[in-house]
Amino acid sequence: MNKKKGFTLIELLVVVAIIGLLATLSIVALNNARARARDAKRIADIKQIQTALELYYNDWATYPGSISSGSAIASGTVYMNQVPNAPTPFDNSGTANCTAANNLYTYAVTGGASQTYTLTYCLGNATGGVAAGLGTATPAGIK
């Protein structure tokens, strides 16, 4: 009797289908992890900018007139060597209304005796207790 050992076509197709399914699931999980990492970086960036602004305020009793991505927050002392850019690509999922145009860190300062600032940013998903979408950070905290 001549018995050949090997896999049948059906067995090979089942294995290929299982490998394809596992690959698809891992790619979806990886993309979700990347989006969460970008949002976590956005929150960390905003907190670092806030810290630099508060250090500046402690020394000068005022906030800087303007800051922009790529520039330093400095006045004799360097409080932040380089203001970071928001990570790309922007994340627009669920209720977030993030777009390429608002995936920026913007800074505005208001004058008067109680000078304050507002930083705006956009999160694709809720992160660390901060809601998804356009958000603001002020001396009072992140919203």
Side-chain angles (χ1 to χ4, degrees):
M1 214 180 238
N2 189 5
K3 281 194 166 185
K4 293 184 181 179
K5 293 186 179 184
F7 297 107
T8 66
L9 181 60
I10 298 296
E11 290 170 332
L12 290 174
L13 288 174
V14 168
V15 168
V16 168
I18 290 171
I19 291 172
L21 180 65
L22 292 175
T24 301
L25 293 175
S26 64
I27 288 172
V28 169
L30 179 64
N31 287 339
N32 288 338
R34 285 181 178 168
R36 285 191 307 272
R38 284 190 298 271
D39 283 337
K41 180 167 181 2
R42 289 179 180 102
I43 294 294
D45 287 347
I46 293 298
K47 287 181 179 180
Q48 287 179 329
I49 295 169
Q50 284 184 299
T51 300
L53 290 171
E54 292 307 318
L55 291 170
Y56 186 101
Y57 186 85
N58 285 340
D59 288 348
W60 300 100
T62 186
Y63 291 106
S66 66
I67 63 171
S68 59
S69 295
S71 66
I73 299 175
S75 183
T77 302
V78 176
Y79 301 98
M80 181 174 234
N81 191 37
Q82 185 176 13
V83 176
N85 291 312
T88 56
F90 68 92
D91 299 310
N92 191 3
S93 60
T95 59
N97 54 354
C98 299
T99 64
N102 66 15
N103 186 43
L104 305 168
Y105 302 144
T106 57
Y107 170 80
V109 65
T110 56
S114 59
Q115 188 183 35
T116 188
Y117 67 84
T118 303
L119 285 167
T120 58
Y121 59 91
C122 197
L123 293 180
N125 295 293
T127 303
V130 180
L134 292 173
T136 60
T138 64
I142 296 176
K143 299 176 188 172

